[in-house]
Amino acid sequence: MSLFELFAREKRELSNSDLARLMDLPESSCSDLLHTLHEQGYLIRTARSRRFYPTARLLAVAKEISASDPVYTVASEAAELLRDKTGETGLVGRVEGGVVKILAFTAGWHPLRYVQSVGDKLSLHVSALGKAALALGAPEEAARQLRLKPLKKLCAGTITDLALLEAQIEQTRKQGWILVENEGGDGLSALAVAGYVGGQPIALSVAGPTDRFRQNREPYLAALKEVQPLVFRPRNVRESVAA
């Protein structure tokens, strides 16, 4: 994978010696690697210089893999775990073009519970999922995403002031979680945390009636923090291992 990342960075044909030097490998080891990838059709060699460059085979394989996106499987299991630990509705989502797309949903056990469907899109400025995911990135990107859609007043507690929303996301960035109360609907609350799945920023949350959340905030937050490391991995595994 380091070899393909190197080609993506260099954007040019490279010789065995170039690749060995840039990846800090013995030329013999690099030659074996290049020979195997060339035989499998992942690399071609230029006719004159005999340098290497990737083919479209890697893209074709990646498309086949992404057609059955494992993120949805991970998300579904996470939503079920959250429901089992709290009894509340468990949700997983990600930010897409100024809204939050629901990737997984498991209904809570209580008669009075929050209901949503996979594929639904939520307003970003009132979503605990969305704000938790935005807190993973730069403040500038959070502000950009929040400006993509109108900041509509959905209920009495909805925040429509961009500066206040940015401050809320900054607080989330510092504490690592967010509680949203009565912003997307009267009497509705949600707790959320976020992390990376396959390099994508993804958020987990539990949602339900505000009164019940005020009584159970600490155990609900503890449940989220228990599930969080089971789902998320460091964004750059190689850097994490090196550290």
Side-chain angles (χ1 to χ4, degrees), residues 78-240:
E80 290 178 7
L81 275 172
L82 289 170
R83 187 275 313 277
D84 292 346
K85 288 178 178 293
T86 64
E88 302 289 357
T89 294
L91 301 108
V92 181
R94 66 185 170 203
V95 176
E96 295 184 359
V99 297
V100 179
K101 182 179 178 180
I102 300 300
L103 303 179
F105 158 82
T106 302
W109 288 326
H110 300 281
L112 182 60
R113 60 185 182 272
Y114 178 67
V115 177
Q116 199 58 253
S117 298
V118 173
D120 284 354
K121 294 180 179 179
L122 310 179
S123 297
L124 180 57
H125 67 298
V126 299
S127 169
L129 284 169
K131 293 172 185 179
L134 289 180
L136 293 174
E140 296 78 13
E141 176 59 16
R144 187 187 74 81
Q145 287 287 343
L146 287 166
R147 289 188 178 96
L148 292 178
K149 302 291 182 183
L151 302 178
K152 296 180 179 179
K153 191 81 171 178
L154 302 183
C155 64
T158 301
I159 301 172
T160 57
D161 184 284
L162 185 60
L164 292 178
L165 288 167
E166 289 176 334
Q168 190 182 38
I169 292 167
E170 180 59 30
Q171 179 63 29
T172 304
R173 186 177 290 112
K174 290 177 180 176
Q175 68 187 14
W177 57 274
I178 182 171
L179 170 64
V180 167
E181 287 189 344
N182 307 317
E183 292 188 28
D186 291 325
L188 174 64
S189 289
L191 273 162
V193 297
Y196 293 95
V197 176
Q200 300 181 49
I202 304 291
L204 316 175
S205 84
V206 286
T210 295
D211 288 345
R212 201 158 64 224
F213 267 60
R214 287 178 177 173
Q215 295 172 19
N216 295 281
R217 192 184 82 166
E218 293 308 316
Y220 288 0
L221 182 57
L224 278 166
K225 290 182 176 180
E226 286 176 20
V227 175
Q228 189 174 22
L230 302 177
V231 177
F232 300 129
R233 293 293 180 268
R235 188 176 189 184
N236 191 327
V237 175
R238 189 166 50 200
E239 289 180 359
S240 176

Side-chain angles (χ1 to χ4, degrees), residues 60-71:
V61 171
K63 285 181 176 179
E64 289 294 326
I65 293 171
S66 64
S68 301
D69 192 342
V71 170

